[in-house]
Amino acid sequence: MEKEIKKKKDTKVLDIKEATICEATAQMLKKAEKDGVETAFHRANTMKACPIGADSACCKHCSMGPCRLNAKDPYGKVGVCGATIDTIQARNFARMVATGAAAHTDHGMSMLDVFREVVNGNVKDYTIKDPIKLEALAKEIGIEVEGRETEDIAKDLYKELERTYTQVEGEIPFMKRVPEKTLETWRKHGVVPRGAMREIMEMMHRTHMGVDQHYENITKQSTRTALSDGWGGSMVATEISDILFGTPTPVRADVDMGCLKEDQVNVIIHGHEPNLFESMLDSVSDPTLIKAATDAGAEGINLVGMCCSGAEMISRHGIPHAGNFMSTETVLITGAVDAMGVDVQCIKQGLVKVAECYGTKLFTTNPRAHIEGAEHIEFEEHEPRKCTDAIVEMAIVRFKNRTLPVEIPNIKTTGIHGFSHEYINYMLGGTFRGSYTPLNDNIINGRIRGVAGVVGCTNPRVKQDYVHVELVKELIKKDVLVLQTGCSQISLAKAGLYKPEAAHLAGSGLREVCETVGMPPVLGVGSCVDNSRILIAAAEMVKVGGLGDCMADLPAAGAAPEWMSEKAISIGHYFVASGVYTVFGVTFPIVEETKFHKHLFEGLEEVGYGKWGFAKDPREMARLMIAHIDKKRKALGIDKARERVLMDMSDRRDLKAA
Ligand code: SF4
Ligand code: MSK
């Protein structure tokens, strides 16, 4: 039964207009205040961020400390052991990279575990949905495929990809995808990743008290670790999920809280690993469970996604999506959610209390992630339906016993999602000559100014969705094609930019391309591990030719304007290491004008990588990104708009030479 909701009197008043531009979330925040329910928005409003922590000017790596340095006078003192501000910041940054990389690579390992069990015939509930991709991927990383059975190729693929984690010495398989000159830079600097387990282990060792105490050397290992995520664990997660569950193709889908249905049993899946959600899709389609729902008086079972679990499922199956990270508590305030199943990453502990207030059943499912106060039903891939059926059954019971009034914001937006890099290839080049050539041509002729990846979380320290939306609007207005993942994708989808008609918001060049191809100016490519799709797309642009020899030459930039997680730092750093100028918003965990700051924001670019940037304001962020894109256009000699010409490889080579 629902716990009695008591009004809290001590909450500092939250200015809802300043908290979010998501109307559904705002409506639910008003209801929360009426109901006396607290959310992360309220807690962020009353909890002042620790200024020393925000600057990363403290260290608690040993019990001689914790040591606090002064961000206003960074070289005025050192830690008890003598560690300088640069060592302390670089170590803290490195540990964020290591944790973020661990999260993505462990997610990828889970997908690989499922794949192995499917291939060995031990898991029957999942199958290989995309054997064409399996074969193409195997071939790409050097596995013989001619005349062989899919099962045999799959076994070899498993063994090969396992090296992404366990390889002690030598390069991991996906290094074969990296443009030659980019790989050369990494080899020169000694940062080509070995297996992620080794890189993360070494990173943790080197940041122990009294080990690596030179910020440049620490950053070198941060780079290697981040690359073992982006071109390793995350890429495995994306590719194996596509092979098992299908490679996304464009699909029309709804987003926002209006996806909930008052007269149906509403089940939300939130987290990251797609296997839980895929099994839930089977459960909600089971005639026995549908009958149980109708017997309980419901019109049916309504399955909805949130956060990155939702981003995976909207891309692959067009499953409706109720909202991003900062809406996961507020969606429960509707009273319409009968069960929420969660797995790993970005799951607020605060969900327990909100769920309790509205009688929503909250279930943890992953052995890695229990939450005190939530019921745990372990998800086991050998018998996945046991867990997901049980969640649906309990959701039906909750539906039957609903007592509190339900209030669902009548807001939802339709858009097109599911632009895998394979589909972008096909969309631009056609079935028989799928290629990124038309994209490169349109960049060379100036219709498209460049490409931006806008990704990452939402964060209650900034107005939810606002920075994402304003930044992307500004970029497309200036003819920059935007690729998106994760919570950022949902921000823009809610704002209506995933409709092809949103092309009218783009500059004339980008608009023309969008209208010709029939695509929106903003392409959603999936969840946060699917940032690997952006890496693959960028690598493909280099390989097609005409835009330089390495990823650092591309007129491209990245941003995570409302980031909050350590995974975002790992993502940011693997983009920087791959050659991309990457701008973060909210706050940056470094004291400005230190040597470490200079190293990340300038030094890395000087030796062939990309570089970090920071801006809070979306227009300033867009300005920085566009200035960088223009700088790269100039270096390529394509800074003047050209008439569209058909180019062959030798034209492209001439262009490079010019
Ligand atoms: Fe302080 Fe050094 Fe220990 Fe860190 S490692 S807590 S700086 S003494
Ligand atoms: S869920 S990491 S809040 S994108 Fe991937 Fe969203 Fe950021 Fe989590």
Side-chain angles (χ1 to χ4, degrees):
M1 283 303 291
E2 294 86 0
K3 218 181 172 188
E4 200 191 331
I5 299 171
K6 291 204 183 81
K7 285 213 178 228
K8 270 198 140 193
K9 294 205 172 68
D10 55 346
T11 314
K12 197 174 130 193
V13 180
L14 174 73
D15 182 348
I16 293 174
K17 279 205 186 78
E18 284 307 306
T20 181
I21 60 162
C22 170
E23 284 177 34
T25 301
Q27 186 180 330
M28 287 303 102
L29 283 174
K30 280 185 203 137
K31 183 169 184 296
E33 295 192 340
K34 217 165 38 164
D35 295 346
V37 172
E38 186 188 82
T39 67
F41 286 103
H42 299 96
R43 290 186 289 273
N45 196 39
T46 52
M47 188 182 293
K48 200 169 173 298
C50 165
I52 303 166
D55 284 328
S56 199
C58 56
C59 176
K60 59 179 177 64
H61 290 199
C62 85
S63 70
M64 293 190 285
C67 302
R68 297 191 303 175
L69 271 53
N70 184 355
K72 295 206 169 61
D73 180 18
Y75 293 102
K77 64 175 180 177
V78 293
V80 172
C81 65
T84 62
I85 186 78
D86 295 303
T87 298
I88 288 174
Q89 293 183 123
R91 281 198 306 222
N92 290 341
F93 185 83
R95 286 203 170 183
M96 292 179 88
V97 169
T99 312
H104 285 145
T105 52
D106 199 32
H107 168 167
M109 190 74 229
S110 295
M111 295 304 102
L112 206 54
D113 285 339
V114 178
F115 181 65
R116 181 192 59 239
E117 295 301 280
V118 169
V119 172
N120 291 336
N122 300 327
V123 163
K124 308 276 185 217
D125 287 68
Y126 306 117
T127 52
I128 288 168
K129 290 253 174 63
D130 193 342
I132 296 172
K133 175 151 185 170
L134 184 148
E135 203 167 299
L137 182 65
K139 205 168 161 186
E140 205 184 338
I141 59 173
I143 296 169
E144 181 57 55
V145 296
E146 287 314 312
R148 298 182 70 200
E149 295 292 325
T150 303
E151 200 190 300
D152 288 341
I153 302 170
K155 283 183 178 160
D156 283 356
L157 183 64
Y158 170 78
K159 270 192 237 139
E160 190 64 8
L161 291 184
E162 199 189 52
R163 294 203 291 112
T164 307
Y165 302 88
T166 56
Q167 173 118 346
V168 174
E169 205 39 87
E171 298 176 359
I172 54 173
F174 284 137
M175 290 303 101
K176 296 197 173 75
R177 286 182 153 176
V178 181
E180 197 48 46
K181 206 177 151 205
T182 302
L183 190 56
E184 241 175 60
T185 305
W186 296 350
R187 285 183 180 141
K188 190 174 86 194
H189 295 305
V191 297
V192 181
R194 300 158 295 180
M197 290 175 183
R198 174 130 209 206
E199 299 307 354
I200 294 165
M201 178 174 67
E202 187 174 322
M203 187 81 269
M204 296 310 284
H205 174 198
R206 283 163 68 158
T207 53
H208 184 274
M209 186 271 151
V211 186
D212 201 351
Q213 289 161 100
H214 194 304
Y215 66 96
E216 284 180 358
N217 205 43
I218 297 168
T219 307
K220 186 172 154 186
Q221 182 58 19
S222 296
T223 301
R224 211 175 188 189
T225 306
L227 290 173
S228 78
D229 170 1
W231 294 88
S234 280
M235 206 170 269
V236 167
T238 298
E239 301 297 57
I240 291 297
S241 298
D242 283 356
I243 289 170
L244 285 174
F245 309 124
T247 304
T249 54
V251 57
R252 185 179 292 274
D254 292 333
V255 295
D256 222 331
M257 290 189 205
C259 293
L260 296 173
K261 294 180 178 155
E262 185 162 358
D263 57 359
Q264 297 204 15
V265 176
N266 291 299
V267 177
I268 289 184
I269 296 295
H270 156 35
H272 281 80
E273 293 179 358
N275 43 347
L276 171 71
F277 213 144
E278 292 283 342
S279 175
M280 184 56 86
L281 191 51
D282 287 345
S283 292
V284 299
S285 317
D286 186 310
T288 319
L289 288 170
I290 294 172
K291 183 167 183 310
T294 49
D295 287 350
E299 287 296 313
I301 308 171
N302 183 36
L303 178 60
V304 177
M306 289 199 90
C307 230
C308 275
S309 293
E312 295 258 355
M313 296 304 274
I314 200 172
S315 300
R316 288 205 179 87
H317 306 292
I319 301 283
H321 196 294
N324 55 26
F325 175 67
M326 277 314 294
S327 300
T328 53
E329 285 173 320
T330 45
V331 80
L332 302 179
I333 294 162
T334 60
V337 183
D338 297 298
M340 178 183 268
V342 300
D343 55 18
V344 289
Q345 300 167 22
C346 307
I347 296 144
K348 299 186 198 84
Q349 188 161 1
L351 288 172
V352 173
K353 276 213 165 153
V354 185
E356 206 175 81
C357 288
Y358 294 95
T360 294
K361 300 279 184 190
L362 178 70
F363 299 101
T364 54
T365 61
N366 193 290
R368 300 171 184 83
H370 291 226
I371 306 177
E372 190 183 350
E375 193 171 328
H376 187 78
I377 305 179
E378 191 123 324
F379 178 80
E380 221 280 301
E381 61 262 16
H382 297 90
E383 263 185 309
R385 288 285 300 276
K386 218 168 150 183
C387 167
T388 50
D389 284 4
I391 292 176
V392 175
E393 281 158 13
M394 285 193 258
I396 294 170
V397 173
R398 193 275 184 180
F399 175 87
K400 211 170 162 182
N401 297 321
R402 276 187 199 173
T403 52
L404 289 174
V406 164
E407 179 184 331
I408 301 174
N410 187 18
I411 303 168
K412 65 178 175 187
T413 310
T414 307
I416 310 294
H417 298 259
F419 290 89
S420 55
H421 61 92
E422 286 87 349
Y423 188 81
I424 296 173
N425 206 25
Y426 156 74
M427 170 176 78
L428 295 167
T431 316
F432 299 108
R433 54 177 192 94
S435 139
Y436 277 65
T437 305
L439 174 63
N440 283 24
D441 285 350
N442 279 302
I443 293 174
I444 292 164
N445 69 30
R447 281 184 177 80
I448 296 176
R449 190 175 199 151
V451 178
V454 180
V455 307
C457 327
T458 48
N459 182 327
R461 299 282 173 203
V462 295
K463 200 190 283 189
Q464 183 194 9
D465 298 337
Y466 171 78
V467 198
H468 289 295
V469 171
E470 293 307 309
L471 168 63
V472 171
K473 279 188 179 165
E474 196 62 23
L475 289 171
I476 62 170
K477 199 162 83 188
K478 303 274 166 56
D479 293 310
V480 176
L481 175 67
V482 176
L483 304 185
Q484 291 208 280
T485 60
C487 293
S488 185
Q489 174 173 334
I490 303 307
S491 302
L492 271 297
K494 284 189 289 180
L497 273 84
Y498 277 72
K499 299 171 194 283
E501 307 85 73
H504 78 272
L505 295 170
S508 58
L510 178 60
R511 185 167 67 228
E512 191 187 328
V513 176
C514 290
E515 285 168 354
T516 309
V517 181
M519 68 180 194
V522 185
L523 304 179
V525 305
S527 67
C528 43
V529 289
D530 294 332
N531 281 309
S532 56
R533 296 193 203 276
I534 303 181
L535 291 180
I536 298 167
E540 205 48 44
M541 286 166 70
V542 175
K543 287 176 194 164
V544 161
L547 294 175
D549 299 326
C550 64
M551 286 169 63
D553 290 343
L554 292 173
E562 301 181 23
W563 76 281
M564 63 87 199
S565 79
E566 290 162 314
K567 289 183 293 169
I569 291 288
S570 179
I571 293 167
H573 201 62
Y574 71 62
F575 270 103
V576 168
S578 301
V580 181
Y581 176 45
T582 304
V583 187
F584 269 37
V586 191
T587 179
F588 203 88
I590 297 191
V591 178
E592 272 185 52
E593 287 165 23
T594 54
K595 286 184 273 178
F596 179 56
H597 185 277
K598 207 166 160 13
H599 187 53
L600 292 192
F601 282 64
E602 294 169 31
L604 293 178
E605 189 181 42
E606 286 159 13
V607 294
Y609 299 111
K611 64 176 176 183
W612 281 91
F614 172 72
K616 281 186 180 179
D617 176 72
R619 275 160 284 274
E620 172 60 7
M621 205 173 266
R623 192 192 63 75
L624 292 173
M625 293 166 78
I626 291 167
H628 180 81
I629 285 170
D630 287 350
K631 183 176 91 179
K632 294 293 171 183
R633 291 188 66 86
K634 194 164 183 203
L636 290 165
I638 54 168
D639 50 329
K640 312 261 178 325
R642 288 160 194 245
E643 262 322 291
R644 196 172 198 167
V645 282
L646 268 178
M647 302 185 83
D648 60 18
M649 263 323 269
S650 70
D651 292 330
R652 285 171 212 286
R653 273 186 222 110
D654 292 348
L655 241 180
K656 265 188 276 173

